[in-house]
Amino acid sequence: MPRGRWTSLCTEVRDCSAQATVEAAFLLPTFLLLLLLALQPVCLLYTRAVMESTAAETARLMVTASSEGEDAYRAFALRRLAAVPDVSIFHAGGSQSWDISFSRATDTGGAVSVSIEGYVRPLPVLGAFAKSFGDVNARGDVRMSVEASYEGRPTWLEGDYVSWVEAW
């Protein structure tokens, strides 16, 4: 009698192992798909954070630096944008494909504006939903753009640099 019971336990153990294999075959792809869905927003947020930081730093540089040329500002911005990995889920097109534009308003006392635009290629699973992320180009890349602007001289500040130096 104990021998029959022993055989019965082995059969139950084998059945449980087979059930775990079927569950793993279902759960592993499901888990990887959920991980993939969570990865794309993280990549987009990182890229956007670097773009916003770069635009703000470049605008501050334009306000405080003596009149440098746009080439110097562009080189400064591209150096900061190098923090974005050259992988298409972070930025598609390579390190020189960033569209950076600068504007300096002379009529408002030195207000500056920097806008940066780049493209991100969504992961294959999310490619069908790419239009929900934003504007999409012909290759299916999603456009990301940021803008930062600063007023070089506040409106409440009276006088100019010479009058401030004379006061001291």
Side-chain angles (χ1 to χ4, degrees):
M1 183 101 163
R3 185 176 177 147
R5 184 174 180 190
W6 176 258
T7 306
S8 175
L9 287 175
C10 288
T11 305
E12 289 178 15
V13 169
R14 280 188 226 131
D15 289 344
C16 291
S17 295
Q19 180 65 31
T21 303
V22 171
E23 289 173 358
F26 174 74
L27 290 178
L28 188 61
T30 305
F31 173 73
L32 291 176
L33 180 65
L34 289 174
L35 185 66
L36 186 68
L37 290 173
L39 181 67
Q40 183 74 55
V42 170
C43 294
L44 290 174
L45 288 173
Y46 175 77
T47 301
R48 184 165 181 86
V50 171
M51 289 171 66
E52 287 176 351
S53 172
T54 300
E57 289 177 14
T58 307
R60 274 187 236 117
L61 177 68
M62 290 176 68
V63 167
T64 58
S66 60
S67 59
E68 300 286 331
E70 281 193 15
D71 292 337
Y73 298 137
R74 181 172 175 75
F76 179 83
L78 286 175
R79 175 72 176 115
R80 300 301 183 270
L81 290 170
V84 176
D86 197 14
V87 179
S88 62
I89 61 172
F90 286 97
H91 173 65
S95 62
Q96 297 297 319
S97 66
W98 296 102
D99 183 23
I100 306 170
S101 61
F102 312 99
S103 66
R104 184 183 297 264
T106 57
D107 59 341
T108 59
V112 297
S113 176
V114 177
S115 65
I116 301 174
E117 183 178 308
Y119 288 90
V120 176
R121 183 164 297 137
L123 293 171
V125 175
L126 299 175
F129 307 107
K131 289 187 179 180
S132 64
F133 292 130
D135 297 339
V136 179
N137 66 6
R139 292 181 304 224
D141 299 339
V142 178
R143 182 178 70 90
M144 294 182 65
S145 63
V146 297
E147 184 173 348
S149 59
Y150 287 107
E151 182 71 37
R153 181 179 172 85
T155 56
W156 55 266
L157 184 61
E158 296 176 355
D160 59 355
Y161 180 74
V162 174
S163 65
W164 276 92
V165 171
E166 289 174 357
W168 293 100

